[in-house]
Every structure is written in C-alpha cells, then in structure tokens.
Amino acid sequence: MSQYPALRLRRTRASEWSRRLHAETLLTPANLIWPLFVTEGEAEEPIASLPGVSRWGLRAIVERAREARDLGIPCLALFPNTPRELRTDDGREALNPDNLMCRAIRAIKDAVPEIGVLTDVALDPYTAHGHDGIVDAQGYVLNDETSAVLVDQALLQAEAGADIVAPSDMMDGRVGAIRGALEANGHVNVQIMAYAAKYASAFYGPFRDAVGSRGLLKGDKKTYQMDPANAEEALREVALDLAEGADSVMVKPGLPYLDIILRVKDAFQVPVFAYQVSGEYAMIEAAAAAGAGERDALVLETLMAFRRAGCSGVLSYHAPLAARLLAK
C-alpha cells in the first residue's frame, strides 16, 4: 500500500530555510584549495586556454595568498612555470634550493604564514622532454631513479616551508621513500597528499600550457598514469600509498571520476581530495561563454558533487569565485 499522500518528500523542499536545514552535504570555503601558477618577473601572464587564470610573479603570488586568507580558503597549491632554458633531461632545476617553487614558498610563508602551502612533487615542470621523471634511451620513465630525485625535491620544498608535499608522478614506492626522508630530517609535521589515483587523462591540456610544457612531451604518460578503464587498480594504488605513509589521497581528474572518489572513501575512510583539473575548468568557462549554462551555478553544483561523493576538499581554479559565492 502506497504511503502517498501521507509521505510527501517535497514537503521539506518547500522553503529555502527548510532546504538548508535538511541539506545532507555542506560546502564551505574551508573545503577549497586554490591552484596557482608561479612565473618569473612581475607581469601577470593570462593563460589563453584557461580564461580568467594567470601566471603570477612572486609579489603577486603573495597577494593571491592574502586574497585566499581573506576569503577563508585555507590552502594554496603551487605549480611553477620553469623557463625553457632551465629545463633539462634530468630536471635538475627541481633540486635548486633557489628555484621558482622554493622562492614562492618562502615568500608566501614569510608574508602570510597562516595560509597552507601545498607543493607539486614531480619533474615534468623541469624536464625538457615533459615527462614526470628520468627517462632511458627508449623514452621509458625509470621508476627508482626518478623516486630518488623526488625524495630530494620533497625535502627541498619542506625545508623552504611547504606544509603539504604532493607527489603527482605516479612512481611506485615514492610515498614511502618521501615519508622516510621527511621523518629522518625532522619534518614530522609535513603532510603527504598522494596523487594516488591519477589517470592518463585528456583533460590536462590547459595545465600544460600554464606550466610551459605544451609541445615538449615525447610520447604519452600511459606507462605510469592510470588507465581510465580501471577502478579496482585505483583502490590498490590508494592502499599502497596509505601503507607507505600518505596522510591523504587524491583522485585526478575530478568529475569524470566521481565513482572512484566514492569507492575510495567507502573503502578507506580517509581524507580524499579531488583535483578539478584544467580541462574541467575550461569546459565550464566555455559553457558559460556560449550561454549553455550559468557559471556561478555550474561552479557550485560541481563542487557540491565532489563533497557529496566524499571529498574532504577540492583543488579548483574556481576556488576564489566559489568562496565569494558561498559568502553571500
């Protein structure tokens, strides 16, 4: 026997106050991480494939940190646009204690110490060939040789003041090696957010423009990033990174992999983050520009979807816009 009309699920949706009262998922600026691109010089450099996103010099990156603090965004994610002349096959600029990333970390922590700084641990912003690691004569990325460099890179960033190091390279075993080095060198409170399930995705194109690696990549990254067809493998990757000492894990990209986020959260009950990547951002901007959707609503709905799926937080280029909308 039907319960209708005694039970009307629309009853609690009838007014705005009631919808707020019965909301199952909460989205606040505290759930946002703002990815920022750092460049040499002081001129703002707009990124054509990421409308509304720019590269920033050190003075401007400090201003973005103050902006994030004032908006209630707790953490910034930094990515360097290394000059072409400093890119080498071995990515040695990643180990320069005065490189662009380290200078940006120090500038932010000196000026806005209360903001969290998350740093990318990978070699692709520094290599001439665009890969995330050291390659052999056949172009294959060498796992253990790369991991050894990543350990030194992570230590360098921690010493500069990074709060979270985020290995995004997908080398096997690198989380355990980094955790051991951080502990041995006194960086016991530096967190590791592992890019645990990072897929070989078609959604990364604008990011490569932003960090200056477009056109450099020889081949693809399918030998180390995950196959989009695989879900069980993602759970194995997450389990390994957690066992090696990761404090949190990331799924990347975001919206096309909400099922992975949900499965990871259900299986491990640990902090899970998603990266709403450059291609996702660009699609929202293109839809808004074409009149196919309203930007503010699209931004908030997609971010809420990440939270509903189980994310503790989301890396999003829309973070400052979302924070302003949430403050209204």
Side-chain angles (χ1 to χ4, degrees), residues 16 44 48 69 75 80 90 114 117 151 158 174 178 232-233 238 253:
E16 194 274 338
E44 178 184 351
R69 176 199 60 195
C75 187
D90 61 3
E114 62 270 34
V117 174
V151 168
R174 90 281 201 210
I178 291 169
E232 298 294 339
E233 185 183 10
V238 169

Side-chain angles (χ1 to χ4, degrees), residues 17-300:
W17 68 262
S18 183
R19 291 191 295 274
R20 284 190 289 119
L21 184 66
H22 290 86
E24 298 173 16
T25 306
L26 181 65
L27 174 67
T28 76
N31 303 121
L32 303 173
I33 298 174
W34 186 7
L36 290 168
F37 299 105
V38 192
T39 192
E40 297 285 1
E42 294 304 327
E44 178 184 351
E45 300 174 3
I47 302 163
S49 56
L50 282 173
V53 177
S54 296
R55 304 182 197 95
W56 306 97
L58 294 185
R59 189 175 304 170
I61 213 75
V62 169
E63 289 307 309
R64 301 290 76 72
R66 292 193 176 103
E67 181 183 354
R69 176 199 60 195
D70 294 344
L71 289 169
I73 298 170
C75 187
L76 305 176
L78 301 182
F79 300 91
N81 177 30
T82 303
R84 287 286 177 103
E85 63 270 19
L86 294 179
R87 289 173 172 265
T88 57
D89 283 349
D90 61 3
R92 69 179 71 100
E93 179 65 9
L95 303 184
N96 175 3
D98 201 38
N99 64 24
L100 189 55
M101 176 72 92
C102 291
R103 282 182 280 137
I105 297 166
R106 291 193 291 266
I108 291 170
K109 297 309 286 189
D110 286 347
V112 197
E114 62 270 34
I115 203 82
V117 174
L118 181 155
T119 54
D120 180 50
V121 179
L123 297 186
D124 54 322
Y126 306 95
T127 55
H129 46 67
H131 278 291
D132 293 48
I134 308 299
V135 301
D136 65 14
Q138 288 72 46
Y140 184 79
V141 175
L142 301 169
N143 192 95
D144 297 354
E145 292 85 345
T146 296
S147 291
V149 179
L150 298 176
V151 168
D152 291 339
Q153 183 186 20
L155 279 177
L156 201 68
Q157 294 173 354
E159 287 159 6
D163 300 291
I164 308 173
V165 293
S168 64
D169 54 286
M170 292 297 288
M171 297 300 111
D172 292 331
R174 90 281 201 210
V175 171
I178 291 169
R179 181 77 272 164
L182 291 173
E183 294 288 323
N185 286 273
H187 299 295
V188 297
N189 286 328
V190 173
Q191 300 175 39
I192 297 176
M193 181 186 294
Y195 285 63
K198 180 179 180 180
Y199 286 84
S201 171
F203 284 89
Y204 300 149
F207 177 91
R208 292 173 184 159
D209 290 334
V211 299
S213 62
R214 172 80 81 174
L216 294 180
L217 184 64
K218 296 174 175 62
D220 56 45
K221 301 188 177 186
K222 293 179 181 180
T223 65
Y224 49 102
Q225 294 178 359
M226 282 189 56
D227 184 343
N230 293 357
E232 298 294 339
E233 185 183 10
L235 300 184
R236 296 180 69 192
E237 288 278 9
V238 169
L240 287 169
D241 285 355
L242 291 172
E244 291 175 23
D247 300 284
S248 57
V249 295
M250 186 195 298
V251 174
K252 181 183 180 183
L255 282 179
Y257 297 89
L258 287 177
D259 62 316
I260 306 300
I261 294 167
L262 179 60
R263 291 184 67 169
V264 170
K265 187 66 177 181
D266 285 348
F268 298 99
Q269 292 297 302
V270 296
V272 181
F273 291 79
Y275 199 144
Q276 188 177 34
V277 299
S278 58
E280 297 174 69
Y281 172 93
M283 287 196 304
I284 290 175
E285 290 298 308
E294 198 275 312
R295 176 184 288 104
D296 294 355
L298 290 170
V299 167
L300 291 182

